Amino acid sequence: MPRLQADADPARWLPVTGSLSWKGRRHRKAAIRMLMAQAGAALGTTGRRGGGLAAWAISQATPLLMRRADGRVLAWVWRQDPELVVAMAQIQELTAQLRTARAMMPMEYDDTVPFDNRHLGRGEKLVIPIPPQPQTPPFATYSWDTGTHLVTLTAVCGDRERFGTVITDVDEVAASLRISDEVLVARPTVLRLDPT
């Protein structure tokens, strides 16, 4: 099964994927709280900004779910302010249903620009810095069609005014995405090196 890899600058990004330690717990919780607040605003609910208990519970389960995804999903939060940006990359098998769903996306999703990745080739980049609905957060989506799989990276920002300050860092993560695949060998082989 193909897996994703990326080179996210550790000075700027904190990985959520595989982070079971106490170190990333606070960042995970803050990022999930921001996403829950944005989702609540999009649904028109009012009240507290991201439920504390719900955000804590999801932050505890997220690393286990990510580990279960086994490299098909990677996620990062902004190290200095985890409520500012959350980025998630995933790889999916390109089924007919997925192609149909992509073809039926709203017209705003047609405003893509080419985006090059040294490993995946030419893809598409869509940036929505000011979404039409005020409750929708700014976001950027990158996608590559490999013929058999769809690779996407989506970054959601919690602050419309600061979105432009981090988009170049998201570009760097997107440009470093690559697929690593396991190679099955028919029978065990031995590599012998000449001692000289």
Side-chain angles (χ1 to χ4, degrees):
M1 178 61 158
R3 292 176 172 81
L4 287 175
Q5 291 182 336
D7 301 321
D9 183 354
R12 293 187 175 99
W13 298 99
L14 186 70
V16 174
T17 314
S19 170
L20 289 167
S21 65
W22 286 90
K23 185 172 93 173
R25 189 176 62 111
R26 180 178 60 86
H27 287 79
R28 281 195 312 269
K29 191 164 92 172
I32 290 166
R33 191 170 46 241
M34 182 270 283
L35 290 173
M36 289 176 64
Q38 299 290 351
L43 294 173
T45 59
T46 57
R48 258 176 49 167
R49 193 174 165 224
L53 181 60
W56 176 84
I58 294 171
S59 75
Q60 300 305 305
T62 298
L64 297 172
L65 293 172
M66 293 285 189
R67 180 175 282 178
R68 203 164 169 197
D70 195 23
R72 294 184 307 267
V73 177
L74 301 175
W76 304 268
V77 296
W78 194 248
R79 184 177 284 279
Q80 299 302 320
D81 183 0
E83 292 193 34
L84 178 61
V85 184
V86 177
M88 186 173 81
Q90 64 178 339
I91 183 169
Q92 300 170 280
E93 187 178 347
L94 204 47
T95 62
Q97 293 84 357
L98 183 56
R99 286 187 188 278
T100 303
R102 285 178 58 77
M104 295 175 65
M105 292 177 92
M107 195 184 295
E108 300 87 44
Y109 288 79
D110 292 339
D111 297 332
T112 60
V113 295
F115 185 84
D116 290 324
N117 175 302
R118 59 186 172 270
H119 308 286
L120 300 172
R122 176 153 285 190
E124 296 178 338
K125 174 183 174 181
L126 172 70
V127 178
I128 307 286
I130 303 174
Q133 294 82 18
Q135 67 271 19
T136 304
F139 66 93
T141 301
Y142 307 76
S143 59
W144 295 268
D145 182 342
T146 68
T148 57
H149 291 83
L150 177 69
V151 177
T152 57
L153 174 78
T154 302
V156 179
C157 185
D159 187 342
R160 286 185 180 217
E161 295 174 3
R162 295 170 62 194
F163 180 64
T165 64
V166 296
I167 192 66
T168 54
D169 296 297
V170 178
D171 284 349
E172 289 177 12
V173 175
S176 73
L177 269 176
R178 58 195 176 276
I179 299 173
S180 64
D181 208 345
E182 293 178 347
V183 178
L184 297 176
V185 179
R187 57 186 157 171
T189 58
V190 177
L191 176 63
R192 298 191 188 279
L193 298 175
D194 189 337
T196 59

